[in-house]
């Protein structure tokens, strides 16, 4: 990235030497990102990130869709907001949108998808790996159902790429969204895989960059970093995913005795680096302990955690993903998400388990002390009222 900033600073659309150097950087990154998916390089279009890639698919399909009386799209109830909100916009523009239910682990039954498809169904978008609860969807099976029905199929693979092998020559998807920063690349870069032959109108119009698919001068330094990150992720995927799975399972096991915590998501069909819980015991809920409280306390211990999707961490309402899975709203407010990465060690996992236990014990202990003090104050007040009476 530094070399691209200092040396390859030209506009990749320019014909002069500096432009050609930047274009070489851009196309090298395209090959690197394509290699992560075993995709042809020309099927990769660079974007500003996963959100843009997802929005592009919805807007692009809607613009090119065959005109029917009531066009129909299908998504799941556990999509990231970068899919659920564009789906709502489609609905407002006159589309019919079906939101598929999930089981208690957040997983879709393929038969549910098959039953939801009708003659007016044009487009299906199902998240591959859920960011809040870690559940992996049966994308290969869902995509095969869509393909047999002749329906375009998109998956948001932002959480999955670089963690789980993806081969688009075998995976029946028409569109697939990626984000650089989930692979340790820079923020502000992403990509959309488009199966050759799949019709998709451009989201941005202008100078015709990205072979006319996505106008706007490309962010060459960010894309250069994205390409290197994708290449490293592909090379390390097998060993790093196995290491992360072992750490993930150890953290679940180390916290299994904490009856206050209930794991969320599917333990088998799960992102290798993802651990998540909700607070389920009445004492913790009555004490007012929330996921946000735990996140703040963990932050003081030097541990970065989340109470849900990082994109929605500022909201106070319970997660729609958890409520779609049948989680009680009070429990959903006690959501905690921990993700593991390249620098995470065995000692880190053990320390996190200890810290969570200590935090829960302290918060509940403080609440018991406060409850005792409140009871004592009420008793004194009642006694004084009798005396004064």
């Amino acid at each position: 990235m530094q070399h691209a900033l200092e040396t390859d600073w030209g506009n990749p659309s320019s014909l002069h030497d500096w432009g050609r150097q930047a274009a070489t950087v851009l196309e090298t990154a395209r090959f690197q990102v394509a290699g992560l998916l075993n995709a042809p390089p020309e099927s990769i279009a660079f974007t500003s990130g996963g959100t843009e890639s997802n929005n592009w698919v919805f807007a692009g399909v809607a613009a090119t869709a065959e005109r029917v009386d009531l066009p129909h799209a299908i998504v799941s109830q556990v999509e990231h907001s970068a899919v659920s909100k564009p789906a709502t916009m489609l609905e407002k523009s006159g589309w019919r949108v079906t939101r598929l239910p999930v089981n208690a682990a957040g997983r879709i039954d393929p038969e549910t998808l098959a039953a939801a498809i009708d003659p007016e169904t044009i487009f299906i978008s199902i998240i591959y790996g859920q960011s809040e609860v870690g559940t992996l969807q049966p994308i290969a099976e869902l995509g095969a159902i869509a393909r047999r029905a002749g329906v375009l199929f998109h998956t948001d693979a932002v959480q999955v790429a670089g963690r789980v092998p993806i081969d688009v020559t075998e995976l029946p998807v028409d569109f697939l969204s990626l984000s650089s920063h989930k692979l340790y690349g820079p923020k502000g870069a992403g990509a959309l895989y488009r199966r050759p032959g799949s019709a998709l109108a451009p989201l941005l119009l202008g100078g015709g960059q990205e072979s006319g698919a996505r106008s706007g001068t490309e962010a060459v330094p960010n894309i250069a970093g994205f390409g290197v990150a994708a290449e490293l992720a592909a090379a390390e995927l097998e060993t790093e995913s196995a290491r992360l799975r072992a750490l993930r399972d150890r953290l679940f096991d180390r916290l299994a005795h904490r009856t206050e915590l209930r794991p969320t998501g599917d333990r088998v069909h799960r992102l290798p680096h993802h651990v998540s819980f909700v607070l389920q015991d009445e004492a913790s809920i009555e004490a007012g302990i929330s996921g946000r409280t735990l996140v703040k306390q963990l932050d003081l211990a030097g541990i970065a955690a989340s109470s849900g999707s990082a994109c929605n961490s500022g909201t106070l309402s319970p997660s729609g993903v958890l409520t779609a899975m049948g989680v009680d709203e009070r429990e959903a407010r006690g959501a905690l998400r921990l993700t593991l990465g390249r620098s995470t060690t065995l000692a880190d996992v053990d320390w996190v388990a200890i810290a969570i236990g200590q935090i829960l014990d302290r918060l509940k202990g403080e609440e018991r002390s406060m409850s005792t003090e409140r009871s004592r104050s009420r008793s004194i007040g009642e006694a004084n009222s009798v005396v004064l009476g």
Side-chain angles (χ1 to χ4, degrees):
M1 289 179 67
Q2 184 174 343
H3 191 274
L5 284 164
E6 294 178 347
T7 305
D8 303 319
W9 45 262
N11 186 325
S13 297
S14 298
L15 297 178
H16 50 60
D17 185 55
W18 294 278
R20 292 197 302 273
Q21 290 177 36
T24 298
V25 173
L26 187 69
E27 294 313 309
T28 298
R30 200 182 310 278
F31 272 82
Q32 290 168 318
V33 172
L36 182 62
L37 307 177
N38 194 25
E42 62 273 15
S43 69
I44 300 297
F46 289 114
T47 67
S48 64
T51 293
E52 183 188 327
S53 297
N54 289 341
N55 276 260
W56 179 8
V57 174
F58 276 80
V61 168
T64 57
E66 181 182 345
R67 299 302 173 192
V68 296
D69 291 339
L70 192 59
H72 180 221
I74 300 172
V75 298
S76 79
Q77 293 182 357
V78 293
E79 297 298 322
H80 188 277
S81 56
V83 163
S84 63
K85 290 185 177 180
T88 299
M89 290 301 295
L90 274 188
E91 215 165 19
K92 290 179 178 178
S93 69
W95 283 58
R96 181 166 48 95
V97 177
T98 297
R99 295 169 176 82
L100 298 179
V102 295
N103 63 18
R107 200 161 153 91
I108 295 168
D109 181 350
E111 292 184 5
T112 305
L113 174 62
I117 296 174
D118 62 37
E120 294 185 320
T121 306
I122 291 171
F123 174 56
I124 299 167
S125 180
I126 305 294
I127 194 167
Y128 201 150
Q130 220 294 318
S131 61
E132 293 183 48
V133 298
T135 298
L136 292 170
Q137 299 296 344
I139 290 298
E141 194 171 352
L142 298 174
I145 291 170
R147 185 155 293 180
R148 286 195 295 270
V151 176
L152 291 171
F153 187 82
H154 165 252
T155 187
D156 174 352
V158 164
Q159 292 287 338
V160 176
R163 307 292 188 186
V164 176
I166 299 176
D167 185 343
V168 293
T169 65
E170 297 180 356
L171 194 67
V173 298
D174 299 293
F175 309 107
L176 183 146
S177 300
L178 302 172
S179 184
S180 164
H181 73 276
K182 297 299 182 182
L183 307 170
Y184 295 93
K187 301 172 187 68
L192 180 67
Y193 160 78
R194 300 160 300 150
R195 183 175 59 80
S198 298
L200 187 70
L203 178 64
L204 302 176
L205 300 175
Q209 287 85 352
E210 295 298 284
S211 300
R214 194 269 192 188
S215 290
T217 302
E218 296 92 344
V220 176
N222 283 10
I223 291 169
F226 184 14
V228 173
E231 186 174 66
L232 290 171
E236 300 172 1
L237 192 150
E238 185 175 351
T239 55
E240 181 63 2
S241 291
R243 188 185 74 87
L244 291 174
R245 275 193 295 271
L247 292 178
R248 175 200 69 187
D249 293 342
R250 182 178 179 87
L251 185 51
F252 271 125
D253 292 343
R254 286 295 305 270
L255 290 169
H257 70 287
R258 301 298 312 202
T259 56
E260 307 98 324
L261 298 172
R262 176 162 62 85
T264 55
D266 196 304
R267 280 295 303 270
V268 177
H269 306 288
R270 189 178 192 90
L271 291 164
H273 65 300
H274 194 288
V275 177
S276 59
F277 304 94
V278 289
L279 284 167
Q280 66 173 349
D281 70 314
E282 195 67 26
S284 296
I285 294 173
E286 291 299 324
I289 302 173
S290 68
R292 292 166 64 88
T293 305
L294 293 177
V295 168
K296 290 177 181 178
Q297 293 297 316
L298 286 166
D299 183 46
L300 294 175
I303 299 163
S306 172
S307 59
S309 168
C311 299
N312 299 314
S313 59
T315 62
L316 296 174
S317 57
S319 161
V321 170
L322 290 172
T323 53
M325 293 163 54
V327 177
D328 177 87
E329 284 196 9
R330 295 199 309 163
E331 290 186 4
R333 289 189 176 89
L336 179 66
R337 179 182 71 137
L338 300 146
T339 52
L340 316 174
R342 289 167 66 96
S343 62
T344 308
T345 66
L346 192 64
D348 292 333
V349 165
D350 291 344
W351 162 236
V352 169
I354 292 169
I356 289 174
Q358 291 176 344
I359 289 167
L360 287 170
D361 289 341
R362 178 167 52 78
L363 291 175
K364 291 171 73 175
E366 289 175 359
E367 175 59 24
R368 283 194 294 270
S369 298
M370 291 174 65
S371 296
T372 300
E373 184 62 28
R374 285 194 294 268
S375 298
R376 182 172 177 273
S377 297
R378 281 196 297 270
S379 298
I380 292 172
E382 289 169 0
N384 286 340
S385 68
V386 171
V387 172
L388 291 172

